[in-house]
Amino acid sequence: MKYIYKALCIVSLLLSTASFSAIGPYSVVLIHGFQPDQLQSRPDRDQVAVDGSDYWQNYWLQHADARIDWPAHERIEGKIASDYLWPALKRLSEQETCLSGCLLVTHSTGDLVARYLLDNQENWLTNAGLEPLNIVGTFDFAGAGGGVELANIAVNVTEGGGWLNHAMKKAVSLWMGQLPSKGNIGVLNDLKVANARQLAMWPDNRVPRIRFVGNGSDFLGATSPFIPGSDDGVVAAHSACGAADADAFDSCSTAIEFDGQLDYVHKGVRRFMPSHYPLLMGDKYSHLTIFNPWHKGKVTATDPELMLGDQSRIAVETVDEDGWFGKKYRFVRDSDRDTLSELVHALPQ
């Protein structure tokens, strides 16, 4: 497929130089995901920064040059943009953090926040007489840019939807740690599938969005009945893969399954949002484990030609199971030992 070839070229370009900074020669800027506790606590700016640091502390914080923190009790096009994104962009521009290029690393809702940022940062900074950021790409873990079905249910809970049964409410409380209440919805409105897919849906920028997708669950599968297709316990494959359509997809590819088995996948994604390229899939990685330093089994790649040179850790090998006529699997080298985040961070080494 054309998108695979383009993705390989993009990743090769991003990672083809020696490691001078966190990833290749580029500064790393972190954008965290949804933090449900903030809906009730409604933190001030200082606490938002503390929460943002804590979010990444297990692995990525030590490898980052900057963060863009935002509060879950606000809306993306409202105070998140004006009070958090804009000051962060202004600071990054004034400090020339991205002069040699920045790579955004996002998790979950951070993917949606990043899409809005990418679509607006050039105009905002130019209009302020500042240099736009040179953002060369994003690494999106469990991206929620296509929306979250559980957010639809959560908002209905606050509206007193009578059709919601106990199991659906339990799924929301497992995800959020609580049931939301009226007046404390915030970014959940943006995460509703229809709303998320309308937010900067067809951006003018062509920044490559490299995707890393899981298929495990932090909730013993209790949330999966309310999420279409494969999911990571919170985000459906259609969203995490970057699919152009919200559908019940079973893989980011039509040629390989989440567990690495080489096979035709009838419900694999065929059309993607602009510049969205799924690269790695981990069958046992869940929404929370995919960006943390916790090993959850082998990882597969979306294309058999994924050989990016000696400097790259993303090299694949095909394994025959049960002899020549048995099932064939494709795995990323060293993924039996290294976590998905470690593989991604070690790409240029």
Side-chain angles (χ1 to χ4, degrees):
M1 289 185 293
K2 289 183 179 180
Y3 96 86
I4 289 290
Y5 175 77
K6 187 174 182 181
L8 298 181
C9 292
I10 289 168
V11 176
S12 297
L13 179 63
L14 288 178
L15 307 175
S16 61
T17 55
S19 179
F20 301 110
S21 181
I23 295 181
Y26 307 119
S27 297
V28 168
V29 179
L30 306 176
I31 306 180
H32 63 74
F34 175 51
Q35 301 187 78
D37 290 347
Q38 293 182 342
L39 295 182
Q40 296 291 341
S41 65
R42 306 179 73 84
D44 59 20
R45 187 178 299 275
D46 290 340
Q47 188 59 48
V48 169
V50 171
D51 292 346
S53 176
D54 290 346
Y55 195 96
W56 297 102
Q57 66 178 341
N58 290 328
Y59 186 78
W60 281 100
L61 186 64
Q62 62 186 310
H63 302 298
D65 299 275
R67 299 190 321 273
I68 297 177
D69 304 322
W70 55 273
H73 65 280
E74 302 290 358
R75 298 291 301 274
I76 292 176
E77 293 183 292
K79 288 192 175 181
I80 291 176
S82 63
D83 294 5
Y84 292 89
L85 296 188
W86 166 242
L89 292 171
K90 185 173 181 289
R91 181 173 61 253
L92 291 170
S93 180
E94 291 173 340
Q95 295 177 355
E96 299 185 338
T97 305
C98 300
L99 192 62
S100 297
C102 270
L103 185 67
L104 304 183
V105 174
T106 80
H107 175 246
S108 189
T109 311
D111 167 35
L112 185 59
V113 173
R115 194 166 81 224
Y116 187 73
L117 179 156
L118 290 170
D119 204 37
N120 290 284
Q121 67 97 7
E122 183 174 355
N123 285 337
W124 291 350
L125 290 168
T126 299
N127 290 339
L130 295 170
E131 187 69 22
L133 303 186
N134 176 22
I135 301 174
V136 299
T138 75
F139 282 176
D140 302 306
F141 292 86
V148 178
E149 280 75 11
L150 292 177
N152 291 47
I153 299 174
V155 172
N156 283 329
V157 167
T158 68
E159 296 173 349
W163 57 272
L164 296 171
N165 60 36
H166 174 74
M168 297 173 83
K169 292 180 179 179
K170 180 64 175 178
V172 170
S173 62
L174 284 172
W175 169 41
M176 298 180 56
Q178 58 189 326
L179 286 176
S181 58
K182 192 172 183 179
N184 289 300
I185 302 175
V187 80
L188 282 174
N189 271 313
D190 299 313
L191 281 174
K192 292 174 65 176
V193 174
N195 292 346
R197 287 183 168 272
Q198 291 298 319
L199 188 70
M201 184 177 181
W202 304 108
D204 292 331
N205 73 81
R206 287 296 178 262
V207 174
R209 312 296 309 274
I210 310 302
R211 324 286 287 179
F212 307 105
V213 185
N215 191 38
S217 175
D218 298 304
F219 315 114
L220 300 177
T223 56
S224 294
F226 312 106
I227 306 173
S230 295
D231 67 89
D232 62 13
V234 174
V235 176
H238 74 78
S239 186
C241 296
D245 308 296
D247 203 346
F249 295 111
D250 293 325
S251 174
C252 297
S253 168
T254 59
I256 187 167
E257 298 179 5
F258 263 102
D259 65 357
Q261 183 181 345
L262 296 170
D263 195 9
Y264 172 69
V265 184
H266 175 68
K267 289 294 291 185
V269 180
R270 288 173 169 79
R271 296 193 317 125
F272 295 87
M273 296 179 67
S275 303
H276 284 58
Y277 309 103
L279 187 62
L280 301 182
M281 301 189 299
D283 189 47
K284 302 299 182 183
Y285 281 90
S286 67
H287 194 69
L288 293 179
T289 59
I290 195 167
F291 75 107
N292 276 304
W294 305 321
H295 189 263
K296 294 295 177 179
K298 292 183 179 180
V299 170
T300 191
T302 54
D303 188 82
E305 303 301 323
L306 197 57
M307 303 293 289
L308 303 179
D310 293 338
Q311 80 281 358
S312 173
R313 290 293 300 278
I314 299 297
V316 299
E317 49 198 6
T318 301
V319 178
D320 293 332
E321 190 174 280
D322 300 326
W324 180 258
F325 296 103
K327 297 178 181 178
K328 296 184 186 299
Y329 292 81
R330 180 197 308 145
F331 298 115
V332 173
R333 190 176 301 161
D334 296 332
S335 65
D336 59 335
R337 178 192 68 195
D338 296 340
T339 70
L340 197 147
S341 277
E342 288 171 336
L343 289 168
V344 171
H345 181 251
L347 283 171
Q349 301 178 15

